[in-house]
Amino acid sequence: MTFPSLIYGLFLISLVGIFWSLPYRQLRLWILLAASLVFYGSIQPAYVPLLLAMTLVNYWLGEALALPMDWRISNREWEAAELDWSNRRRGLMIVGVSLNIVLLFGFKYVPFVLDTLGLATQPADWLRDSLIVPLGISYFCFESIAYLVDVYRGAPPAGRFGEFAAYKLFFPKLTAGPITRYHAVEAQFKTLDFPRLETATDGLWLIAIGAMKKLLIADHLAILVNLSFDNLARAGSGDIWLATFAYGLQLYFDFSGYVDMARGSALLLGIKLPANFNFPYMTTSIADFWRRWHMTLGDWLRNYLYFPLGGSRLGLGRTCLNFVIVMTLGGIWHGAAWGFVIWGLLHGVALAVHRWQAKLTADVPAIAAFWQQPWGVVLAWALTQLMVRAAWLFFRLPNWDDFSLAVSHLWGHTADIQFAQKVYWEALGFTRSQLTLWLSSLVGLMAIVYGTQQTLKLKLNWPTKLLVIPLCLFLAWVLSPSETIHYIYFEF
């Protein structure tokens, strides 16, 4: 069971009805926890005990971190007791963070490390072929690390296990985010109110828009992307560039569609999850791109990696190095392959260059004036988007042999004579030029929507949304491809 699907729709409707019919908050949270276990168990039942066990471990560690120091001591013993207490808390925090890293590492990275070191080829192959990574394990571990670090820094621990488990296993965000902090959700648990008509309409609207993004756009783009990259040896340079451009759009609509449906489902249950995207393809700098793309991951990387490394407090050189380290680790988080490492490294270098350029701009007024002119803005947008779109090639083809072949064919390579016939005409019914125009029109439409929202501040009111929601869901159902593609971020 996953969304969008008829089974999920029935599941959500039933849960919303039961949830709000219960008179007590604690009962609602226990029902929410049970429903989340049913949701996850319908996909990967074998890993339900593991997630429950790790939830219990992280809960216990949070409680242990918050235990106060024994105040019944003399002034003479105070300094030693305070040092022991601080060391104990630091040790518990390190143990907790290490346990979550080991869990993530064990499922996702052992075969990659063994292959990279040239060790134990047979075990590495067996692990890669036999070990199924738990769905959402990256998000689960990142949220657990954030919770333990927050409690170590002074935030209060979870009061009750049921409340903490309902947060950790909350089904809309469990499999692919957005990454949320415990205390933001826990505050909403304390004030659960039946959603007003406007709020419920917004929830249904997000679900409908998410379904359209996924079924009408992302899954149709997937046909072009998959056919092109599955026949990479026969594709020409123009075909690879077009497929890479299409993949950037597919990834955005696929992931943002999932998050829209997750946020919409949560709203119907009285919970507001954070937004994860804000028109990232309209940005004019790589720094702004990361403020608008996968925003909850960017927030996690800043708070739990970038700032502990020193942030921007230790000079320009160290700041640039921190960008490279953080983004490379962010790339590795997505998967155990060299393509993800290179993708993260490219973004880290781009952020470092942007920071250096920002300092240069501040020192030279003429450069600052140029970037503020219309042509400067257009150039900044073009350079940013070229870097982002080109880097997606390594994200889509993370294996060394695949992206090496693609990179070697990026310039001056002619396609196999049958490639256009099979991929464009027979499978899609368009020429490459027509597909290029269609994708460009899609970006243009995104720009119009973005400009309308930013300048005119136009938004649909809730009665209009309520009228349009059935049409959106109907179109998503009727016009979707015959085969639905799994969510891309389920792989991470």
Side-chain angles (χ1 to χ4, degrees):
M1 171 173 51
T2 186
F3 41 84
S5 67
L6 180 59
I7 295 176
Y8 176 75
L10 296 173
F11 165 81
L12 183 61
I13 292 170
S14 302
L15 174 60
V16 169
I18 296 172
F19 184 83
W20 291 116
S21 67
L22 296 173
Y24 302 112
R25 183 177 68 92
Q26 288 301 320
L27 280 178
R28 291 174 181 172
L29 294 182
W30 282 108
I31 286 295
L32 188 60
L33 173 59
S36 297
L37 294 176
V38 169
F39 176 82
Y40 195 89
S42 69
I43 306 172
Q44 285 186 332
Y47 287 127
V48 169
L50 173 66
L51 294 187
L52 276 172
M54 284 303 298
T55 299
L56 180 60
V57 168
N58 283 291
Y59 170 77
W60 178 85
L61 285 167
E63 296 298 302
L65 277 169
L67 288 176
M69 189 174 68
D70 187 0
W71 299 91
R72 296 168 299 179
I73 55 177
S74 65
N75 290 336
R76 186 181 304 171
E77 299 171 314
W78 177 267
E79 185 175 348
E82 185 179 29
L83 180 60
D84 289 342
W85 179 71
S86 297
N87 289 337
R88 173 185 167 278
R89 294 185 75 246
R90 187 180 299 107
L92 283 170
M93 190 268 291
I94 292 173
V95 167
V97 171
S98 299
L99 280 175
N100 284 282
I101 292 176
V102 167
L103 177 67
L104 186 60
F105 183 86
F107 276 107
K108 291 186 67 171
Y109 302 107
V110 169
F112 174 67
V113 171
L114 292 176
D115 279 347
T116 302
L117 297 176
L119 302 173
T121 303
Q122 275 190 317
D125 292 341
W126 181 87
L127 285 170
R128 186 184 300 103
D129 296 337
S130 305
L131 189 63
I132 299 175
V133 178
L135 197 62
I137 191 66
S138 297
Y139 297 94
F140 183 93
C141 292
F142 268 33
E143 286 185 345
S144 297
I145 291 171
Y147 169 71
L148 295 176
V149 172
D150 286 348
V151 173
Y152 176 75
R153 290 173 175 174
R160 301 178 180 178
F161 174 72
E163 197 170 87
F164 181 72
Y167 149 75
K168 279 301 298 159
L169 303 174
F170 187 38
F171 70 92
K173 69 171 183 63
L174 180 59
T175 52
I179 301 171
T180 58
R181 297 190 191 182
Y182 166 74
H183 296 91
V185 176
E186 183 259 353
Q188 298 182 67
F189 281 166
K190 292 185 182 302
T191 58
L192 285 174
D193 291 320
F194 187 81
R196 297 181 302 170
L197 182 57
E198 294 90 336
T199 304
T201 301
D202 285 340
L204 293 173
W205 174 254
L206 284 170
I207 292 172
I209 292 299
M212 290 190 69
K213 285 181 177 179
K214 169 64 176 170
L215 298 176
L216 289 190
I217 303 178
D219 283 1
H220 282 286
L221 288 171
I223 298 173
L224 168 62
V225 172
N226 292 341
L227 283 173
S228 298
F229 286 125
D230 289 346
N231 296 279
L232 195 57
R234 305 176 67 180
S237 299
D239 305 311
I240 296 174
W241 280 107
L242 180 63
T244 303
F245 179 72
Y247 177 69
L249 292 173
Q250 179 203 353
L251 185 62
Y252 168 73
F253 284 106
D254 187 276
F255 194 16
S256 68
Y258 178 93
V259 173
D260 285 345
M261 283 184 277
R263 296 178 66 221
S265 300
L267 276 179
L268 298 179
L269 296 165
I271 304 298
K272 186 176 181 179
L273 295 177
N276 227 11
F277 296 91
N278 183 19
F279 293 96
Y281 288 146
M282 298 297 114
T283 54
T284 56
S285 74
I286 192 65
D288 196 26
F289 174 83
W290 274 103
R291 284 190 285 267
R292 299 188 184 200
W293 174 274
H294 206 336
M295 294 187 290
T296 57
L297 174 62
D299 180 72
W300 194 98
L301 292 172
R302 279 191 300 274
N303 282 284
Y304 304 104
L305 280 179
Y306 179 67
F307 291 150
L309 285 172
S312 57
R313 302 186 303 272
L314 303 176
L316 180 61
R318 179 60 183 271
T319 299
C320 294
L321 177 61
N322 288 343
F323 280 135
V324 173
I325 293 172
V326 169
M327 293 311 301
T328 302
L329 291 174
I332 294 172
W333 173 81
H334 285 87
W338 282 110
F340 295 121
V341 176
I342 294 173
W343 175 82
L345 182 62
L346 287 173
H347 277 270
V349 171
L351 285 168
V353 171
H354 174 264
R355 178 57 63 93
W356 174 81
Q357 184 269 335
K359 185 179 185 304
L360 181 63
T361 299
D363 295 337
V364 183
I367 298 178
F370 170 79
W371 291 118
Q372 292 173 0
Q373 298 297 321
W375 51 85
V377 173
V378 171
L379 178 60
W381 174 83
L383 291 174
T384 300
Q385 299 308 316
L386 177 62
M387 182 272 150
V388 169
R389 302 301 177 89
W392 285 136
L393 179 67
F394 299 95
F395 200 90
R396 176 56 177 79
L397 301 172
N399 294 325
W400 187 283
D401 292 340
D402 293 335
F403 71 68
S404 296
L405 178 62
V407 170
S408 68
H409 287 181
L410 281 177
W411 293 275
H413 185 77
T414 305
D416 184 287
I417 193 170
Q418 292 184 337
F419 183 90
Q421 178 70 26
K422 296 292 183 181
V423 173
Y424 299 133
W425 277 112
E426 294 183 11
L428 299 171
F430 297 98
T431 65
R432 190 173 76 186
S433 299
Q434 290 171 331
L435 286 170
T436 302
L437 179 62
W438 186 81
L439 294 178
S440 301
S441 300
L442 182 59
V443 175
L445 179 61
M446 292 168 62
I448 291 172
V449 173
Y450 173 70
T452 302
Q453 289 190 6
Q454 293 297 310
T455 57
L456 302 179
K457 308 295 182 183
L458 293 180
K459 291 185 178 181
L460 297 178
N461 56 30
W462 71 263
T464 304
K465 290 179 180 178
L466 204 56
L467 290 174
V468 175
I469 285 168
L471 176 61
C472 292
L473 293 174
F474 178 75
L475 290 175
W477 175 46
V478 172
L479 300 179
S480 63
S482 57
E483 183 178 351
T484 301
I485 311 299
H486 68 83
Y487 286 98
I488 296 173
Y489 260 74
F490 277 12
E491 300 173 7
F492 310 135

